[in-house]
Amino acid sequence: MAKEWTMADTKAAQPLAPPHVPAARSARTVLLRRTRELALLPALLLLMVLGMVVNDSFLTERNIVSILGASAALAMVVLAESLVLITGKFDLSLESVVGIAPAAGALLVLPAAQSGWGTELPAALALFAILLVGAAVGAFNGILVVKFRLNAFIVTLAMLIVLRGLLVGATKGKTLFGMPDSFYSLATTTFLSAPLSVWLAAIAFAVAGLVLKYHRVGRALYAIGGNADAARAAGIRVERVMLGVFVVAGVLAAVGGIMQTGYVGAISANQGQNMIFTVFAAAVIGGISLDGGKGSMFGALTGVLLLGVVQNLLTLAQVPSFWIQAIYGGIILVALMIARVTTGRAQD
């Protein structure tokens, strides 16, 4: 009598996939991601060579320090945005924090005759108020996104617009001058020929990189960005961690605003405007995934340096400034296509 085959027999008869295949795919994916991050180093080297051809002064110490000094504020905001992106969220309002936070501190310290609020607070309290404004904006965004479960993109876009309007209204459209020297010291004080802002940005990236790689908080950020429900099931306090990330991002953006103020020497009513496009360009080309759960501080930092070199090259070549934004947009598109190839996943 012929044996009757069942579904279980059919499954049992199918050949099993070699156990090494998933591990091999995982290793290949990790290698591709690492290659994507390290690929910016040859690109930087190529741009350096191109810079020598374009202008003899490109590789001078003065120009290199200028590139680093000009990129310091951007680096702090990229760091802030990268932390938020790793958790799978967005914060578009960071560019407005770069303007509103230092402006609030300046208005508190300036006399009414210089367009201030007349409070004339000590410089130390005004600087603390700048950080407090950044933390408050981040906390407000975090509450709306985490507690009320509103869309992060829409919430932070609305905050970008609100804060931009508040900045113009508070300053009455004027440029603020005459703040105490401490408002400019990060950009004007140097150590080993480089401004303090450069060293502070480097330290911030180093600390963030170590936390993300070795501390449980860093592992929690990646877990939340990869799968928030699974992270919650694993005992991670997802809401608390995400709220903390928004607050930290706000503070970092406020520090970036202080750096920008020192570099420019004043606070204009449009400080930080359109900065978010450059921030996203640096983060994306540096390997920070828009889907969350992936990316490193080394990649984000190389993205900042690459854009800083590109802008400096275009300036030395006397390319009109409006072309720079177009080039940044093209860089983002190329980076997204590279991410699609390296991850093998469609982006939502």
Side-chain angles (χ1 to χ4, degrees):
M1 185 175 180
K3 180 179 178 181
E4 184 178 354
W5 286 88
T6 63
M7 183 62 70
D9 296 325
T10 303
K11 290 182 178 180
Q14 292 177 349
L16 297 176
H20 66 276
V21 172
R25 288 179 179 175
S26 177
R28 185 179 64 179
T29 302
V30 171
L31 179 61
L32 286 173
R33 290 173 186 165
R34 181 61 60 184
T35 301
R36 182 187 171 198
E37 293 176 1
L38 298 179
L40 293 184
L41 296 181
L44 274 172
L45 181 61
L46 180 62
L47 287 174
M48 300 289 254
V49 174
L50 181 61
M52 289 190 299
V53 175
V54 171
N55 196 302
D56 294 336
S57 63
F58 176 77
L59 280 184
T60 60
E61 180 183 347
R62 181 178 180 180
N63 190 58
I64 297 299
V65 171
S66 175
I67 294 174
L68 295 176
S71 303
L74 174 65
M76 296 301 291
V77 186
V78 170
L79 173 57
E81 190 67 59
S82 297
L83 294 176
V84 177
L85 287 173
I86 287 174
T87 65
K89 300 298 182 182
F90 293 85
D91 192 346
L92 303 179
S93 66
L94 293 177
E95 74 163 36
S96 292
V97 175
V98 171
I100 191 66
L107 292 170
L108 287 171
V109 78
L110 288 175
Q114 292 180 261
S115 302
W117 287 333
T119 54
E120 299 187 46
L121 290 181
L125 288 179
L127 291 173
F128 178 74
I130 292 174
L131 302 181
L132 193 61
V133 170
V137 173
F140 185 73
N141 287 337
I143 290 172
L144 293 181
V145 173
V146 177
K147 299 297 183 181
F148 290 89
R149 299 184 180 278
L150 301 181
N151 183 277
F153 185 90
I154 302 301
V155 166
T156 57
L157 176 62
M159 281 300 297
L160 181 154
I161 299 170
V162 169
L163 295 177
R164 180 63 56 195
L166 288 176
L167 176 59
V168 175
T171 60
K172 297 180 176 61
K174 300 178 181 179
T175 299
L176 303 178
F177 298 95
M179 284 81 73
D181 292 340
S182 55
F183 274 68
Y184 313 112
S185 59
L186 285 179
T188 57
T189 305
T190 60
F191 175 72
L192 297 178
S193 301
L196 289 181
S197 58
V198 174
W199 294 108
L200 181 57
I203 292 171
F205 267 88
V207 171
L210 291 174
V211 169
L212 287 174
K213 190 170 184 179
Y214 298 108
H215 199 273
R216 58 186 179 84
V217 173
R219 293 191 292 270
L221 295 186
Y222 285 114
I224 293 170
N227 190 322
D229 293 332
R232 190 177 290 106
I236 297 174
R237 296 182 176 181
V238 174
E239 288 74 17
R240 179 179 297 185
V241 173
M242 290 182 61
L243 182 59
V245 168
F246 274 101
V247 172
V248 170
V251 173
L252 291 173
V255 174
I258 300 174
M259 292 179 176
Q260 185 73 9
T261 299
Y263 182 77
V264 176
I267 302 174
S268 65
N270 62 351
Q271 178 162 301
Q273 189 169 0
N274 295 330
M275 188 181 193
I276 198 65
F277 301 120
T278 310
V279 169
F280 269 95
V284 170
I285 66 175
I288 303 296
S289 173
L290 298 179
D291 295 328
K294 294 184 288 291
S296 70
M297 292 301 100
F298 177 79
L301 181 58
T302 54
V304 172
L305 294 176
L306 184 70
L307 291 188
V309 171
V310 167
Q311 184 169 15
N312 184 262
L313 273 175
L314 295 175
T315 302
L316 291 177
Q318 299 182 343
V319 176
S321 59
F322 54 82
W323 284 113
I324 296 178
Q325 292 296 329
I327 291 172
Y328 283 171
I331 290 174
I332 293 177
L333 291 177
V334 171
L336 288 175
M337 289 186 286
I338 293 174
R340 177 67 178 87
V341 173
T342 56
T343 61
R345 291 175 50 193
Q347 294 182 335
D348 296 331

